[in-house]
Amino acid sequence: MPPFKDEHILVIAPGSQTTLAQLGLPESFTPAQLRVSTRMFPAEKKGEWEPIKIREKKVTKHKKDVAPEPTDGDTAMGGTDGQINNEDPATQEEGTYFEEDPTTEEGAVYPIRDGRVVDWSCLFALMTHIYNTLSPPFHTPILIITQPAWTAQDHEIFTQFFFEKFKTPAFCLMDSALAVCYAYGASTATVIDIGYEKCDVTAVNDFLINDAGRGTALTRCGGESMTQRLLELLSSKGFTRDMCEQLKKSGICEVLPSGTAMPGEAETEEPNVNPAAAASAGANAAGLKGRGSVGDPTAALRVGASGAEGGDDTQDGEGEDNEGVLDVATIVASGKTSEFLARKEKEKAEKAEKAAAKKAAQEAANAPKQAKLPNAKRMTTTFQYTERRPLEELNQNGKRPLQNGNQNGEGEPKRPRTPEPQDSSEAGAPEPIPTSNAHTSGQPNGETTALIRRDVEVGVERFQAATGGMLDQVADAVHRCILSVPEVGKRGDFWDNLIIVGNGSRVRGCKEALVAKLNSKYLISPSSATIFTSELPSNFTTPVATGANTPQPQSHLSNSHHGPGVNPLLAAAVTASNPGGLAPPSQHQHLAAQLQMQQYHQQHQQHQHSGHGQTPTSIKLMKMPEYFPEWKDAGIEEAAFLGAQVAAKVVFVVDQGLSKGFMSRTEYNDLGPQGIHEFCM
C-alpha cells in the first residue's frame, strides 16, 4: 500500500448538534474547516434527505398584456384599448418553484441524541453530504471520532458503511476521550466532556480507556439543562427558550462556585451622601425660589444692587433692603432699568450653566465606578437579544423602510431624517440589523426575514443556570470513575490531571465551579493522615503515613491478634472504645470482614502504594499546550478534534499501520466489519 499524504486525510467528528470535518492536515493543526449542523430534512421522495429545508411554492403568472399583431383578413379582438383582458383565466399560468430556507428548523431530524445514534439513515445522509462537500480524492483514509455511548455494533455499522459506500483504503475509529488526551499530550487523565444534552466522564490510564466505572451519557448534565433551568426561572418574566439560550451564551451568564453569595444576599452599600450638604442645598434652593424668582424684578434689583455698586452681598436683611430701595431709585432715575435686568438674567443663566456642568462632571466621575463593578456583584444587567422577524411585520410597524420606495411603494425613497435622541423609556426599543441581501417578501428566492436586536434586562437568575443539581451529579460521576481505577496508587494522578472539554462547558465559570464542587466534597488536607492518632491508646506506636511500620500491641491487648495486613488505624479506632477486651460482636464481624478484604487485595496486588486511595489530597486542572496558537482564540472545548488530527498524523503517516492503528481495505475483505474491534483506538 502506498503511503498516505497529509493533504488526503479526512477527519470527521459527529456531535449531537454540530459535526466537525476537515480534509487534509496542515503543518500547524487548526480548528475544523467545516462545521455543519447535525441535522437533515426529509426530502420529497421517501427515504431521501436534504441538508437544507426546501419549500414548495405556487405562483400565478400572467401572460404578456399585449395583443398579437393582426394578420390579413383578421380583426383584433379584445377590449377597447386592444389589449387582452387579464381577468380571463386563459391568460394566467400557475407555476411551481422551490426555495431554500437555511434559517428554519421546521421538520429537522437530529440523528444523534444524548450521544447515541437514533436514526442511521439520517446520519448516513449527513456523512454523505459532508463527503461530497469536501470532495476528497479516491485514495483518502478516514478517521471518525466516536462517542463513549456508541456500542460495538455501532462501530461495525460505521465500518461497513464507509468501506462499502466510499471505498476508502483505510479506516480508523478513535474514542473522543482518548483524542482529548492526544491533544493535551497526557497519557493519564480524567476527561470530563460536557456536551449538549449529556456529560461523559472517562479515566484514561497510559492511553488506555478504563471502561469500569465510566460515566457514559449522563443525562441532564449538558448545556441544554442549563438553558432549561434558565427558562424555568425566567419564564414568568416573558423569556422564551431562544432568549434563555442567548442569555446562556452571553458574557453575563455565570456559574458561581458553591458558597458564593448572590448580589441580593449581600448587604448593598448606599452611596455616601453628606446630609448637611443636601440640607444646605435644599435650603438655598428654597430661598432662591422664594425670593429670587424671575417674576419679581424688584427682588432681582434688590439682590444685585450692592454688587453693582461694589458692596457686599452678605449684609443683614435690613441694610440690604434699604440699599436696594436706594439703588432702585437711582437705577430708575438713570433710565437703565432694562439693561440692568438683562444683565442680571444673564448672570443667573451663567450660574445655572456652571451648576449643571458641575453636576454632570460629578455624575461622569461616579459612572466609571459603577461600570467597574464585576458581574457577580450586579443585581441587574442587560444583554443584547437578537431575533429574526418577518419583513412584512417590520414594514407595517415602521421599523424598517421598504427598499424599493416609500411606505406606499410609490416614488423615490425618502432620505432618512437624523435620528432624534431617545429617552430612557425607549432604550430597549428594537434595533433592526440591515442585511445586504435582504429583499421584500414579494420577490422569489429572496430573504423574507431580518434580524432585530434589542436589550433585555435580567437579574440574579443569570447565576443559577447550574443550580438544578448538575454540578453534584458530575462530581459524583468523577469520584466513582476514579475509584474504579484498579491501580490504587495512581488514583492521585487522575485527580491531578482533570480535563474539562465540550461546548457545554463554555458557560462562564462552569469549569471553576465544578473544580470548587470537587474540592468541597472530596478533597482532604495532606496532613490529615494523623487524624486518628488522638484515638490511639498511649501504648501504641504512631504509624507513619506510608503504612510501613505496623504498631505492635502490648500486654493488655495480647488477646487481640491480627494478621500482617491489618490496618492499624482501623484496629485502633475499633479497640480504643473497648481497651479491656474484644470489640462488640457487630463491630468485630465488621472488622473481620474489612481485614479479610484488605488481606485479599494485598495478596492479589503486585505493587505497593502509599497515601490515600479513596480521597484525593489535591485536585488540579491540566493546562492546554501552548504550541497550537490557532486554538487559543477558538478555545479548548473542541480539543477532541485537535487530538484526532494528531492521531491521524501518527497513525496514517508515521506509523502506516505497523501497530494496527487503522483497518485497511484488504483486512476488511478478510475479517469483515467485526474486525474493526482489533484496530480501533
Side-chain angles (χ1 to χ4, degrees), residues 184 186-192 202-204 478 482 485 488-500 515 518-519 522-524 526 610 612-613 615-624:
Y184 276 79
S187 61
T188 300
T190 303
V191 181
I192 306 171
T202 307
V204 180
V478 173
I482 296 179
V485 176
V488 183
K490 298 188 65 176
R491 292 176 183 174
D493 297 337
F494 292 94
W495 287 108
D496 291 337
N497 297 332
L498 292 181
I499 302 176
I500 303 177
V515 174
L518 291 171
N519 287 329
Y522 304 111
L523 185 66
I524 64 172
S610 61
H612 297 271
T615 52
T617 57
S618 63
I619 299 177
K620 301 177 183 178
L621 282 176
M622 287 199 66
K623 187 178 180 181
M624 181 70 179

Short mmCIF file of all heavy atoms in Angstrom, two decimals, residues 184 186-192 202-204 478 482 485 488-500 515 518-519 522-524 526 610 612-613 615-624:
data_model
loop_
_atom_site.label_atom_id
_atom_site.label_comp_id
_atom_site.label_asym_id
_atom_site.label_seq_id
_atom_site.Cartn_x
_atom_site.Cartn_y
_atom_site.Cartn_z
N TYR A 184 -3.84 17.05 24.60
CA TYR A 184 -3.13 17.57 25.77
C TYR A 184 -1.76 16.94 25.95
O TYR A 184 -0.98 17.41 26.79
CB TYR A 184 -3.97 17.35 27.03
CG TYR A 184 -5.02 18.40 27.27
CD1 TYR A 184 -6.21 18.39 26.57
CD2 TYR A 184 -4.80 19.42 28.19
CE1 TYR A 184 -7.19 19.35 26.79
CE2 TYR A 184 -5.78 20.39 28.42
CZ TYR A 184 -6.96 20.35 27.71
OH TYR A 184 -7.92 21.31 27.92
N ALA A 186 -1.21 14.02 27.30
CA ALA A 186 -1.25 13.38 28.62
C ALA A 186 -1.61 11.91 28.43
O ALA A 186 -2.60 11.59 27.78
CB ALA A 186 -2.27 14.05 29.53
N SER A 187 -0.82 11.04 29.01
CA SER A 187 -1.10 9.61 28.94
C SER A 187 -2.10 9.17 29.99
O SER A 187 -2.80 8.16 29.81
CB SER A 187 0.20 8.80 29.09
OG SER A 187 0.80 9.08 30.36
N THR A 188 -2.18 9.88 31.10
CA THR A 188 -3.09 9.55 32.19
C THR A 188 -3.87 10.81 32.56
O THR A 188 -3.26 11.83 32.90
CB THR A 188 -2.34 9.02 33.41
OG1 THR A 188 -1.61 7.84 33.04
CG2 THR A 188 -3.29 8.68 34.55
N ALA A 189 -5.18 10.73 32.51
CA ALA A 189 -6.01 11.90 32.81
C ALA A 189 -7.44 11.45 33.00
O ALA A 189 -7.84 10.33 32.64
CB ALA A 189 -5.91 12.94 31.69
N THR A 190 -8.22 12.34 33.58
CA THR A 190 -9.67 12.17 33.72
C THR A 190 -10.34 13.20 32.82
O THR A 190 -10.20 14.41 33.04
CB THR A 190 -10.12 12.36 35.17
OG1 THR A 190 -9.42 11.43 36.01
CG2 THR A 190 -11.61 12.11 35.31
N VAL A 191 -11.05 12.73 31.81
CA VAL A 191 -11.65 13.60 30.80
C VAL A 191 -13.13 13.76 31.13
O VAL A 191 -13.87 12.78 31.25
CB VAL A 191 -11.48 13.01 29.39
CG1 VAL A 191 -12.12 13.94 28.35
CG2 VAL A 191 -10.01 12.79 29.08
N ILE A 192 -13.55 15.01 31.28
CA ILE A 192 -14.94 15.36 31.55
C ILE A 192 -15.45 16.13 30.34
O ILE A 192 -15.05 17.27 30.11
CB ILE A 192 -15.07 16.22 32.83
CG1 ILE A 192 -14.40 15.51 34.01
CG2 ILE A 192 -16.53 16.51 33.15
CD1 ILE A 192 -14.30 16.38 35.25
N THR A 202 -14.48 9.96 31.74
CA THR A 202 -13.65 8.82 31.36
C THR A 202 -12.29 8.95 32.01
O THR A 202 -11.69 10.03 32.03
CB THR A 202 -13.48 8.78 29.82
OG1 THR A 202 -14.76 8.81 29.20
CG2 THR A 202 -12.75 7.52 29.40
N ALA A 203 -11.80 7.83 32.53
CA ALA A 203 -10.44 7.74 33.08
C ALA A 203 -9.55 7.05 32.05
O ALA A 203 -9.83 5.91 31.65
CB ALA A 203 -10.43 6.97 34.40
N VAL A 204 -8.50 7.72 31.61
CA VAL A 204 -7.55 7.19 30.63
C VAL A 204 -6.24 6.93 31.35
O VAL A 204 -5.63 7.84 31.91
CB VAL A 204 -7.35 8.18 29.46
CG1 VAL A 204 -6.37 7.60 28.45
CG2 VAL A 204 -8.68 8.51 28.80
N VAL A 478 -17.41 11.77 38.58
CA VAL A 478 -15.94 11.82 38.58
C VAL A 478 -15.37 10.99 39.73
O VAL A 478 -14.40 10.24 39.56
CB VAL A 478 -15.47 13.29 38.67
CG1 VAL A 478 -13.96 13.36 38.85
CG2 VAL A 478 -15.88 14.06 37.43
N ILE A 482 -12.97 7.58 39.14
CA ILE A 482 -11.59 7.45 39.62
C ILE A 482 -11.47 6.30 40.62
O ILE A 482 -10.46 5.59 40.64
CB ILE A 482 -11.13 8.78 40.23
CG1 ILE A 482 -11.10 9.87 39.15
CG2 ILE A 482 -9.76 8.64 40.88
CD1 ILE A 482 -10.68 11.23 39.65
N VAL A 485 -10.65 2.85 39.14
CA VAL A 485 -9.32 2.53 38.61
C VAL A 485 -8.69 1.45 39.48
O VAL A 485 -8.58 1.61 40.70
CB VAL A 485 -8.44 3.79 38.56
CG1 VAL A 485 -7.03 3.44 38.10
CG2 VAL A 485 -9.06 4.84 37.66
N VAL A 488 -4.63 1.50 42.69
CA VAL A 488 -4.97 2.48 43.72
C VAL A 488 -3.90 3.55 43.83
O VAL A 488 -4.20 4.73 44.08
CB VAL A 488 -5.20 1.77 45.07
CG1 VAL A 488 -5.62 2.76 46.14
CG2 VAL A 488 -6.22 0.66 44.92
N GLY A 489 -2.67 3.19 43.69
CA GLY A 489 -1.58 4.15 43.84
C GLY A 489 -1.56 5.23 42.79
O GLY A 489 -0.92 6.27 42.98
N LYS A 490 -2.26 5.02 41.66
CA LYS A 490 -2.25 6.02 40.59
C LYS A 490 -3.51 6.88 40.59
O LYS A 490 -3.68 7.72 39.70
CB LYS A 490 -2.13 5.32 39.22
CG LYS A 490 -0.83 4.55 39.04
CD LYS A 490 -0.68 4.05 37.63
CE LYS A 490 -0.55 5.20 36.64
NZ LYS A 490 -0.31 4.75 35.27
N ARG A 491 -4.38 6.69 41.56
CA ARG A 491 -5.61 7.48 41.57
C ARG A 491 -5.33 8.96 41.81
O ARG A 491 -6.08 9.82 41.34
CB ARG A 491 -6.56 6.95 42.64
CG ARG A 491 -7.12 5.57 42.31
CD ARG A 491 -7.99 5.03 43.43
NE ARG A 491 -8.46 3.68 43.12
CZ ARG A 491 -9.14 2.91 43.97
NH1 ARG A 491 -9.43 3.37 45.19
NH2 ARG A 491 -9.53 1.70 43.61
N GLY A 492 -4.28 9.25 42.53
CA GLY A 492 -3.93 10.65 42.72
C GLY A 492 -3.58 11.35 41.42
O GLY A 492 -3.84 12.55 41.27
N ASP A 493 -3.00 10.60 40.47
CA ASP A 493 -2.68 11.21 39.17
C ASP A 493 -3.95 11.59 38.41
O ASP A 493 -3.96 12.59 37.67
CB ASP A 493 -1.85 10.24 38.33
CG ASP A 493 -0.51 9.92 38.98
OD1 ASP A 493 -0.05 10.74 39.80
OD2 ASP A 493 0.06 8.85 38.68
N PHE A 494 -5.00 10.82 38.57
CA PHE A 494 -6.25 11.15 37.89
C PHE A 494 -6.89 12.40 38.50
O PHE A 494 -7.51 13.18 37.76
CB PHE A 494 -7.22 9.96 37.98
CG PHE A 494 -6.79 8.77 37.18
CD1 PHE A 494 -6.05 7.75 37.75
CD2 PHE A 494 -7.11 8.66 35.84
CE1 PHE A 494 -5.66 6.64 37.02
CE2 PHE A 494 -6.72 7.57 35.09
CZ PHE A 494 -5.98 6.55 35.68
N TRP A 495 -6.73 12.59 39.80
CA TRP A 495 -7.27 13.81 40.43
C TRP A 495 -6.45 15.03 40.04
O TRP A 495 -6.98 16.14 39.95
CB TRP A 495 -7.29 13.67 41.95
CG TRP A 495 -8.35 12.76 42.47
CD1 TRP A 495 -8.18 11.52 43.02
CD2 TRP A 495 -9.76 13.01 42.51
NE1 TRP A 495 -9.38 10.99 43.40
CE2 TRP A 495 -10.38 11.89 43.10
CE3 TRP A 495 -10.55 14.07 42.11
CZ2 TRP A 495 -11.75 11.80 43.29
CZ3 TRP A 495 -11.93 14.00 42.30
CH2 TRP A 495 -12.51 12.88 42.88
N ASP A 496 -5.17 14.86 39.80
CA ASP A 496 -4.31 15.98 39.45
C ASP A 496 -4.35 16.32 37.96
O ASP A 496 -3.80 17.35 37.55
CB ASP A 496 -2.86 15.69 39.85
CG ASP A 496 -2.69 15.67 41.36
OD1 ASP A 496 -3.52 16.29 42.04
OD2 ASP A 496 -1.74 15.02 41.84
N ASN A 497 -4.94 15.45 37.15
CA ASN A 497 -4.97 15.66 35.69
C ASN A 497 -6.42 15.66 35.21
O ASN A 497 -6.84 14.80 34.44
CB ASN A 497 -4.17 14.57 34.96
CG ASN A 497 -2.70 14.61 35.32
OD1 ASN A 497 -2.16 15.64 35.66
ND2 ASN A 497 -2.05 13.46 35.25
N LEU A 498 -7.19 16.62 35.66
CA LEU A 498 -8.56 16.76 35.20
C LEU A 498 -8.59 17.59 33.93
O LEU A 498 -7.93 18.63 33.83
CB LEU A 498 -9.43 17.43 36.27
CG LEU A 498 -9.71 16.64 37.55
CD1 LEU A 498 -10.59 17.46 38.47
CD2 LEU A 498 -10.37 15.32 37.25
N ILE A 499 -9.38 17.15 32.95
CA ILE A 499 -9.55 17.87 31.68
C ILE A 499 -11.04 18.05 31.46
O ILE A 499 -11.78 17.07 31.39
CB ILE A 499 -8.92 17.11 30.50
CG1 ILE A 499 -7.42 16.86 30.75
CG2 ILE A 499 -9.12 17.88 29.21
CD1 ILE A 499 -6.76 16.04 29.66
N ILE A 500 -11.48 19.29 31.36
CA ILE A 500 -12.88 19.61 31.14
C ILE A 500 -13.02 20.22 29.74
O ILE A 500 -12.43 21.27 29.46
CB ILE A 500 -13.41 20.59 32.20
CG1 ILE A 500 -13.21 20.01 33.60
CG2 ILE A 500 -14.88 20.90 31.98
CD1 ILE A 500 -13.64 20.95 34.71
N VAL A 515 -14.67 22.46 39.65
CA VAL A 515 -13.49 22.14 40.46
C VAL A 515 -13.74 22.52 41.92
O VAL A 515 -13.34 21.79 42.85
CB VAL A 515 -12.25 22.87 39.89
CG1 VAL A 515 -11.05 22.67 40.80
CG2 VAL A 515 -11.94 22.37 38.49
N LEU A 518 -15.81 19.79 43.47
CA LEU A 518 -14.99 18.61 43.78
C LEU A 518 -14.14 18.84 45.02
O LEU A 518 -13.98 17.94 45.86
CB LEU A 518 -14.10 18.26 42.58
CG LEU A 518 -14.82 17.73 41.33
CD1 LEU A 518 -13.84 17.64 40.17
CD2 LEU A 518 -15.43 16.37 41.61
N ASN A 519 -13.59 20.03 45.16
CA ASN A 519 -12.77 20.33 46.34
C ASN A 519 -13.60 20.30 47.61
O ASN A 519 -13.16 19.79 48.64
CB ASN A 519 -12.11 21.70 46.18
CG ASN A 519 -10.98 21.68 45.17
OD1 ASN A 519 -10.31 20.67 45.00
ND2 ASN A 519 -10.78 22.78 44.48
N TYR A 522 -14.75 16.25 48.15
CA TYR A 522 -13.85 15.09 48.21
C TYR A 522 -12.43 15.43 48.63
O TYR A 522 -11.66 14.51 48.93
CB TYR A 522 -13.81 14.38 46.85
CG TYR A 522 -15.17 13.98 46.36
CD1 TYR A 522 -15.75 14.60 45.26
CD2 TYR A 522 -15.90 12.99 47.01
CE1 TYR A 522 -17.00 14.24 44.80
CE2 TYR A 522 -17.16 12.61 46.56
CZ TYR A 522 -17.70 13.24 45.46
OH TYR A 522 -18.95 12.88 45.02
N LEU A 523 -12.02 16.67 48.64
CA LEU A 523 -10.63 16.99 48.94
C LEU A 523 -10.39 16.91 50.44
O LEU A 523 -11.21 17.36 51.24
CB LEU A 523 -10.30 18.39 48.43
CG LEU A 523 -8.83 18.82 48.57
CD1 LEU A 523 -7.94 17.98 47.68
CD2 LEU A 523 -8.68 20.30 48.22
N ILE A 524 -9.24 16.34 50.82
CA ILE A 524 -8.80 16.32 52.21
C ILE A 524 -7.42 16.94 52.29
O ILE A 524 -6.70 17.03 51.30
CB ILE A 524 -8.76 14.88 52.78
CG1 ILE A 524 -7.72 14.04 52.04
CG2 ILE A 524 -10.11 14.23 52.73
CD1 ILE A 524 -7.49 12.68 52.67
N PRO A 526 -3.49 17.29 53.11
CA PRO A 526 -2.39 16.32 53.12
C PRO A 526 -1.96 15.92 54.53
O PRO A 526 -1.40 14.84 54.72
CB PRO A 526 -1.27 17.04 52.37
CG PRO A 526 -1.95 18.08 51.56
CD PRO A 526 -3.15 18.50 52.35
N SER A 610 1.06 4.10 48.58
CA SER A 610 1.07 4.89 49.80
C SER A 610 0.09 6.03 49.64
O SER A 610 -0.36 6.34 48.55
CB SER A 610 2.47 5.45 50.09
OG SER A 610 2.87 6.28 49.04
N HIS A 612 -3.49 8.23 50.33
CA HIS A 612 -4.91 7.97 50.38
C HIS A 612 -5.38 7.52 49.01
O HIS A 612 -5.22 8.21 48.03
CB HIS A 612 -5.66 9.23 50.81
CG HIS A 612 -5.30 9.70 52.18
ND1 HIS A 612 -5.94 9.27 53.31
CD2 HIS A 612 -4.32 10.53 52.61
CE1 HIS A 612 -5.41 9.84 54.37
NE2 HIS A 612 -4.42 10.61 53.97
N GLY A 613 -5.98 6.33 48.96
CA GLY A 613 -6.51 5.85 47.70
C GLY A 613 -7.96 6.20 47.50
O GLY A 613 -8.45 6.18 46.37
N THR A 615 -9.66 9.12 48.85
CA THR A 615 -9.91 10.55 48.77
C THR A 615 -8.64 11.26 48.32
O THR A 615 -7.52 10.88 48.70
CB THR A 615 -10.34 11.11 50.13
OG1 THR A 615 -9.40 10.71 51.12
CG2 THR A 615 -11.72 10.58 50.50
N PRO A 616 -8.76 12.31 47.51
CA PRO A 616 -7.57 12.99 46.99
C PRO A 616 -7.05 14.02 47.98
O PRO A 616 -7.77 14.54 48.83
CB PRO A 616 -8.08 13.65 45.72
CG PRO A 616 -9.51 13.94 46.02
CD PRO A 616 -10.01 12.83 46.90
N THR A 617 -5.78 14.31 47.85
CA THR A 617 -5.15 15.39 48.61
C THR A 617 -4.94 16.64 47.76
O THR A 617 -4.55 17.68 48.29
CB THR A 617 -3.80 14.92 49.16
OG1 THR A 617 -2.97 14.49 48.07
CG2 THR A 617 -3.99 13.78 50.15
N SER A 618 -5.18 16.55 46.45
CA SER A 618 -5.10 17.72 45.56
C SER A 618 -5.92 17.43 44.32
O SER A 618 -5.98 16.29 43.85
CB SER A 618 -3.64 18.02 45.17
OG SER A 618 -3.09 16.95 44.43
N ILE A 619 -6.56 18.46 43.81
CA ILE A 619 -7.37 18.38 42.59
C ILE A 619 -6.94 19.53 41.69
O ILE A 619 -7.01 20.69 42.09
CB ILE A 619 -8.87 18.46 42.90
CG1 ILE A 619 -9.30 17.30 43.80
CG2 ILE A 619 -9.69 18.44 41.61
CD1 ILE A 619 -10.76 17.35 44.20
N LYS A 620 -6.50 19.20 40.47
CA LYS A 620 -5.97 20.21 39.58
C LYS A 620 -6.50 20.01 38.17
O LYS A 620 -6.82 18.89 37.76
CB LYS A 620 -4.43 20.16 39.54
CG LYS A 620 -3.76 20.36 40.90
CD LYS A 620 -2.26 20.22 40.78
CE LYS A 620 -1.58 20.36 42.13
NZ LYS A 620 -0.10 20.16 42.03
N LEU A 621 -6.56 21.11 37.43
CA LEU A 621 -6.91 21.09 36.02
C LEU A 621 -5.64 21.12 35.18
O LEU A 621 -4.71 21.87 35.48
CB LEU A 621 -7.78 22.28 35.64
CG LEU A 621 -9.27 22.23 36.00
CD1 LEU A 621 -9.93 23.55 35.63
CD2 LEU A 621 -9.96 21.09 35.29
N MET A 622 -5.62 20.30 34.13
CA MET A 622 -4.48 20.31 33.23
C MET A 622 -4.51 21.55 32.35
O MET A 622 -5.58 22.08 32.03
CB MET A 622 -4.47 19.06 32.35
CG MET A 622 -4.08 17.78 33.06
SD MET A 622 -3.58 16.51 31.88
CE MET A 622 -2.08 17.23 31.21
N LYS A 623 -3.35 22.01 31.97
CA LYS A 623 -3.22 23.20 31.14
C LYS A 623 -3.05 22.79 29.69
O LYS A 623 -2.32 21.86 29.37
CB LYS A 623 -2.02 24.03 31.59
CG LYS A 623 -1.91 25.38 30.90
CD LYS A 623 -0.71 26.17 31.43
CE LYS A 623 -0.61 27.52 30.73
NZ LYS A 623 0.57 28.29 31.22
N MET A 624 -3.74 23.51 28.84
CA MET A 624 -3.67 23.23 27.41
C MET A 624 -2.30 23.57 26.86
O MET A 624 -1.72 24.60 27.24
CB MET A 624 -4.74 24.05 26.67
CG MET A 624 -4.78 23.83 25.18
SD MET A 624 -5.40 22.21 24.74
CE MET A 624 -5.35 22.31 22.94
#
